[in-house]
Amino acid sequence: MLTTTDALERILAKTPQLATSEVALDAGLGRFLAQPMQAHLSLPRFDQSSMDGYAIAGKNCGSSGDRSRLQVISEVAAGSEATVAVGDGQAVRVFTGAPVPPGTAAVIMQEDVTAHPDGTVTLDTPAEPGEFIRRAGADVCAGQRIAEVGQRITPSLLAVLATQGWANVTVGGIPKVGILSTGDELVPLGAPLPSSACIYNSNGPMLKALVVSSGSECVRVEHCRDDLATLSDCLRDLSDQCDVVIVSGGVSVGDHDHVRPAMLAAGYEMDFWRVRMKPGKPLAFGVDPTGCRLAFGLPGNPVSAFVTFWLFVFPSLRRMMGATGTDLSLPVVSVSASAEIHNKGDRAHWFRGRITGAHFEPLGLQESHALFSLSKANALVCVEPECSVAAGTSVDAYLLPWQ
Ligand code: AMP
Ligand code: MG
């Protein structure tokens, strides 16, 4: 049976990257750059004032009071060009973001100046050369690489790209995902429960929410009874419209588990179908012969479906989108276990729990059907088979993104 790491490696090795496209910069938020970006403008673009105040020459730095009387010769607001140079005995009124005039050694802020009715100013405190001037190129120099292929467009990177005037960016594609819940016991939300043995389909809405919150497009959400022919047809139909199909339930070895044969009937080649982990041992991964489409058969137990989504499906969706490195998985932080965590089993156990401050505490029932404790969790921690993590020991916690 594969380990989590080996299974993920196999999935990523078979995950295709989607075609890239050029989109409006604001539509690129959350997507991954498909080309490196090189600044053509420096930041700041020009030497500019960082205060509302007065630009003065070098000879007038260092003095104050009556000995510092300067004639105000012109004014430069943000957006105006500074055409008049400032000389000895002179000051130019400047505002935040305005270019400083030629000859400027410092800007003195208006709070440190006394303005007189005759058009002169005196400095209340001496100015230091260089102060309140933002130098051209101090942040970014023209020609500098400012973003890499595979980098995620966050609001702050988006702002940096905007400083360059780029209205469009080339980014990786958005996976089209179909979701298929299987099970004779499942009832759609809003409908009455027909018998005491039925339950509502919670995996369908959960998986849709996970797909959408990961930046992919959920094109269809279907439910199928535990019947091989119907399941195969439904899977084939979804595969025609999707880059990825996520099936939940029916993936194990029970008499009513038809997902693996249905995947084969729908034309997928089965790469593996079990992983040595808990929750989530049955996990089928199939690739269609063109290599363009993937199918994941996740366990029906809701927590297993949730955990295997984050560990296997999410990285694959991210790779399709053009992500690299740490963007392929949930962010990991090192925290200390607040109590002993024991894994008696022979499979790696992913514990759900809560990080408060620098401590991780497992939460509630750790079984694969126990959704309620999962709803309170903000992190997952893996404990290797037959291992214990002592209280106070450092553990790697995978942060769930919305907590
Ligand atoms: P299975 O993997 O089909 O054997 O299902 C394992 C467990 O998960 C069973 O208790 C199912 O009733 C439950 N289950 C399967 N699919 C869903 C679903 N879509 N929503 C809620 N529970 C489910
Ligand atoms: Mg089932």
Side-chain angles (χ1 to χ4, degrees):
M1 220 187 303
L2 292 176
T3 63
T4 313
T5 314
D6 291 343
L8 178 59
E9 214 167 87
R10 284 170 76 144
I11 290 169
L12 290 179
K14 297 213 166 154
T15 298
Q17 278 199 17
L18 300 178
T20 62
S21 61
E22 191 173 309
V23 300
L25 180 64
D26 58 355
L29 180 66
R31 296 178 68 174
F32 295 88
L33 280 173
Q35 53 183 199
M37 305 301 253
Q38 198 159 323
H40 67 108
L41 299 175
S42 291
L43 278 186
R45 266 195 76 199
F46 43 86
D47 288 351
Q48 59 182 245
S49 175
S50 65
M51 285 287 170
D52 294 331
Y54 295 84
I56 62 173
K59 283 200 171 145
N60 302 119
C61 292
S63 57
S64 60
D66 260 356
R67 286 173 44 241
S68 67
R69 190 168 286 267
L70 306 172
Q71 185 69 43
V72 181
I73 56 162
S74 69
E75 179 177 307
V76 192
S80 307
E81 293 205 28
T83 45
V84 181
V86 62
D88 184 18
Q90 297 178 327
V92 170
R93 182 87 168 106
V94 290
F95 298 92
T96 306
V100 293
T104 302
V107 170
I108 183 149
M109 59 177 175
Q110 65 188 40
E111 291 87 337
D112 290 339
V113 164
T114 302
H116 304 282
D118 65 352
T120 62
V121 289
T122 46
L123 312 187
D124 302 338
T125 57
E128 284 201 27
E131 76 180 357
F132 301 126
I133 299 175
R134 300 170 181 158
R135 293 292 174 196
D139 191 15
V140 171
C141 288
Q144 185 181 330
R145 182 81 76 92
I146 49 174
E148 306 298 327
V149 172
Q151 197 170 337
R152 188 162 196 225
I153 304 184
T154 57
S156 48
L157 178 59
L158 192 145
V160 170
L161 301 177
T163 65
Q164 302 297 308
W166 294 322
N168 298 319
V169 273
T170 304
V171 291
I174 295 182
K176 289 186 169 55
V177 182
I179 290 165
L180 174 57
S181 311
T182 70
D184 289 351
E185 74 280 33
L186 301 179
V187 176
L189 310 188
L193 288 166
S195 89
S196 59
C198 289
I199 59 168
Y200 285 114
N201 175 2
S202 59
N203 285 352
M206 176 184 77
L207 288 168
K208 179 177 179 182
L210 290 171
V211 165
V212 171
S213 70
S214 314
S216 294
E217 185 190 356
C218 184
V219 290
R220 273 173 62 188
V221 182
E222 300 290 341
H223 164 243
C224 223
R225 296 187 67 90
D226 291 316
D227 170 73
L228 178 56
T230 327
L231 198 53
S232 311
D233 285 348
C234 193
L235 201 49
R236 221 175 271 124
D237 189 32
L238 279 177
S239 307
D240 285 345
Q241 294 176 27
C242 301
D243 303 303
V244 176
V245 179
I246 306 174
V247 189
S248 87
V251 80
S252 194
V253 292
D255 293 347
H256 302 281
D257 292 335
H258 301 297
V259 168
R260 281 185 296 133
M263 277 185 173
L264 294 172
Y268 289 95
E269 287 159 6
M270 195 60 56
D271 195 273
F272 62 82
W273 66 277
R274 282 190 309 178
V275 180
R276 188 182 290 284
M277 63 179 287
K278 189 180 168 185
K281 178 164 115 190
L283 180 112
F285 173 57
V287 185
D288 90 332
T290 67
C292 294
R293 295 193 179 85
L294 307 179
F296 291 90
L298 307 188
N301 273 308
V303 179
S304 310
F306 180 93
V307 171
T308 50
F309 174 88
W310 282 118
L311 296 183
F312 303 110
V313 186
F314 174 72
S316 180
L317 294 174
R318 278 281 172 97
R319 166 66 52 89
M320 282 190 163
M321 296 172 81
T324 54
T326 52
D327 281 321
L328 288 173
S329 63
L330 289 173
V332 181
V333 292
S334 192
V335 285
S336 77
S338 65
E340 188 191 13
I341 316 174
H342 191 50
N343 177 10
K344 305 194 278 295
D346 62 355
R347 289 178 276 156
H349 191 153
W350 290 81
F351 286 82
R352 61 243 190 220
R354 223 178 147 77
I355 295 177
T356 314
H359 304 286
F360 172 84
E361 183 183 7
L363 275 183
L365 209 52
Q366 291 288 335
E367 287 175 65
S368 55
H369 64 281
L371 255 184
F372 185 50
S373 59
L374 186 65
S375 73
K376 310 244 182 254
N378 63 7
L380 302 172
V381 163
C382 180
V383 181
E384 293 303 324
E386 283 139 25
C387 281
S388 253
V389 172
T393 311
S394 151
V395 289
D396 283 344
Y398 288 67
L399 293 180
L400 297 173
W402 47 80
Q403 313 272 348

